[in-house]
Every structure is written in C-alpha cells, then in structure tokens.
Amino acid sequence: VKETNKTRTLTEDECDKIRSMLKQLSAIENPVYVLLWKRARMYFTSLSGSTSAITPPDGFSVCMSDLQGVASKYTHLVSYNRGVFGPFYADLIPQIMSGHGAGAASSTRDTDS
C-alpha cells in the first residue's frame, strides 16, 4: 500500500473486494437491494394516490435528482392515464373488487371489437 500526500492507493485485492461487493448489491436477493426496492415501490405507490408532494425515501440521496425526475414523469403519466381511462376504470374496478372482474372484463373487450 502506497501513501502519497495522505491519499492511499488501493491494492488489487482491495479493488477486487470492492468490485465483488458492488456486484452483490445488484443481486435481487441482496438485503440492501430488497430494502431499496421496497422503499422505491412504496414511494411510487404513494405518488399514485397523492395530490401533494411526497418526500423521497431514505437511502436515495445519491440519486435524488434522478429519482425526482422519474417521479415527476410517473405522476404526469398517472394523471394522464386517469384522465383518459378514468371512466373505464370507474366501471372495471368495482367489478374486479367484487370478484367478477375477469369475466366482465373479457365480455367488455369482446363487444368492443
């Protein structure tokens, strides 16, 4: 290990360990990945039903501007989708919630074709 002006150069072994840890973070089974994925899903689910600003979850400070950019586009898409398909959803959702959605949805598609 070389020390230069109070900076330290990593050994090849240390670099390999860091690479390995970073690769493990992208594995779906990784606890950190699972936690961040849950937080991201809850954040976007909250955005779907909210009319006010929602604070992004903890753990996303490194990519906060990217997350907020995606969130802005997502809320625009959800709003547009509600405006265009809202009347269709208004009829479909009660049918699905009552357990009669699959047959009712397929019969609606058959008559629209």
Side-chain angles (χ1 to χ4, degrees), residues 8-101:
R8 182 173 168 256
T9 305
L10 296 175
T11 66
E12 192 61 36
D13 187 47
E14 291 171 324
C15 288
D16 289 341
K17 286 180 184 177
I18 291 172
R19 282 187 199 102
S20 174
M21 287 189 284
L22 290 172
K23 285 180 184 178
Q24 289 174 4
L25 282 176
S26 65
I28 293 173
E29 311 83 33
N30 184 287
V32 174
Y33 181 95
V34 170
L35 175 65
L36 291 176
W37 182 248
K38 282 181 183 178
R39 287 181 180 175
R41 279 195 347 244
M42 288 185 341
Y43 176 63
F44 283 99
T45 301
S46 298
L47 286 174
S48 305
S50 176
T51 56
S52 60
I54 295 177
T55 305
D58 293 335
F60 289 92
S61 59
V62 173
C63 60
M64 187 68 68
S65 61
D66 293 328
L67 183 66
Q68 289 174 328
V70 171
S72 173
K73 291 176 183 177
Y74 175 75
T75 53
H76 177 73
L77 179 64
V78 168
S79 176
Y80 175 78
N81 191 310
R82 279 189 185 137
V84 172
F85 298 106
F88 176 70
Y89 291 158
D91 293 336
L92 184 61
I93 290 173
Q95 293 172 0
I96 292 171
M97 297 303 285
S98 68
H100 299 95

